[in-house]
Amino acid sequence: MDQIRIIGGKPLNGEIPISGAKNAALPLMAASLLTEGTLSLSNLPHLADISSMAHLLGELGVEISMNGAAPSGGNMGRVLDLTASRISETTAPYDLVRKMRASVLVLGPLLARVGEARVSLPGGCAIGTRPVDLHLKALEQLGAEIELAEGYVNAQAPKGLKGGHVVFPMVTVGGTENILMAAVLADGETVIGNAAREPEVADLANCLVAMGAKIEGIGTDTLKVEGVDALGGADYAVLPDRIETGSYAVAAAITGGELYLKGTRAELIESVIELLGRAGVTFVEETDGIRVSRTNGPLKGVDLMTEPFPGFPTDMQAQFMTLMAVSEGASMVTETIFENRFMHVPELCRMGADINVHGASAIIRGVGALSGAPVMATDLRASVSLILAGLAAQGETVVNRVYHLDRGYERLEEKLAGCGAAIERAAE
Ligand code: UD1
């Protein structure tokens, strides 16, 4: 298993290309199940989760070909052509779903296209129980018959799905995406209330429209879908990764450097920019990216609460906590989306951070500096928070179990090393 070694204390300066968003790419790939035509997705990041989704779709009968790679040094990402001219299999097996929860996103499109799907229940994961009950209830409201047996969701819609009115009791990104993909081929109108407004949901909706779907209210919390008989292929570019953007913005801030984040957009991370601004970080939006710097003075502690978009993203909480650990004064972080998302805290404390967790909140008292240590990554965003801590710390930090990072950050060491970080990957 690989580990990442970092010698901290070097300000980062330079340019980092931002990749396509993993969390947009996964549902977009699942949307290829909805049409016989070819969905050509560009700006796809090269990540383990993308390969897992490609593997699952391949099992279901989708033909996938790589139709271009990133020009070296650019941030165009890969181009994949996905063609589901025939669905040959409707089961998403445990082994694939276990590795990646987003596999559950094939449920809605399979039901809509062929009237049946069998998908393994994802089970627990490091950041909480994360059930799929809301996905299932919403699909039932479109007429699906659902049974749970032997760890699998067995879903049927022998006469096809029917439009309906779905109001989610809490905001769910994956739930909104699954029901949206089901509704585009259902008979009649579907209204989705309390829909997730995350940019990745809007990206999926825009792609579905390019494929011929009729959707109103994109980007709002009420989506109106008029079902159509069939969808066609489309060419679609995945939006930039806002969590990668925010993570590198924190890297510039925590090391006291200046980074140009190329190919991304400020509107995707307004809540993050606002908070970093209050902490003492400067942002300038330029034509094809954002310039982030912290060159004048120390960081100041700020409080944050995670919320559905446009609120502060839970996927940026761990990175912010690392930043607060070396800021002046005290900060409070409250996590409202996932119940067990403070796994990075004990590791940060081993590097000298002063953090106390009380239920869903953590109090962080800024310390002058962190010190390098061997640490263990527990999930995707926790692992990047440890990388950030290593970049700021005095001495050497070794982050173990980096396979979590490879699920969500494309060429991380290369991008950071290109801006002056002393970082390398080594076999454990
Ligand atoms: C997506 C993102 C993930 C991000 C999360 C919240 C992808 C691939 N992943 O995950 O990176 O952290 O949004 O922004 O896009 N819930 C239920 N029942 C359900 C569904 C969800 O109780 O049926 C709960 C979850 O346990 C959680 C909350 O709702 O507490 C939000 O989860 P959700 O928005 O569904 O997250 P994901 O789509 O899994």
Side-chain angles (χ1 to χ4, degrees), residues 22-23 26 101-102 130-135 170-175 177 198 314-315 337-338 341 381:
K22 167 181 86 78
N23 287 354
L26 294 171
R101 201 187 129 77
R130 297 181 84 176
V132 289
D133 55 321
L134 302 176
H135 300 226
M170 65 196 281
V171 176
T172 158
V173 174
E177 291 166 345
E198 269 63 7
T314 175
D315 286 351
I337 309 289
F338 292 113
R341 211 171 194 183
R381 307 305 169 186

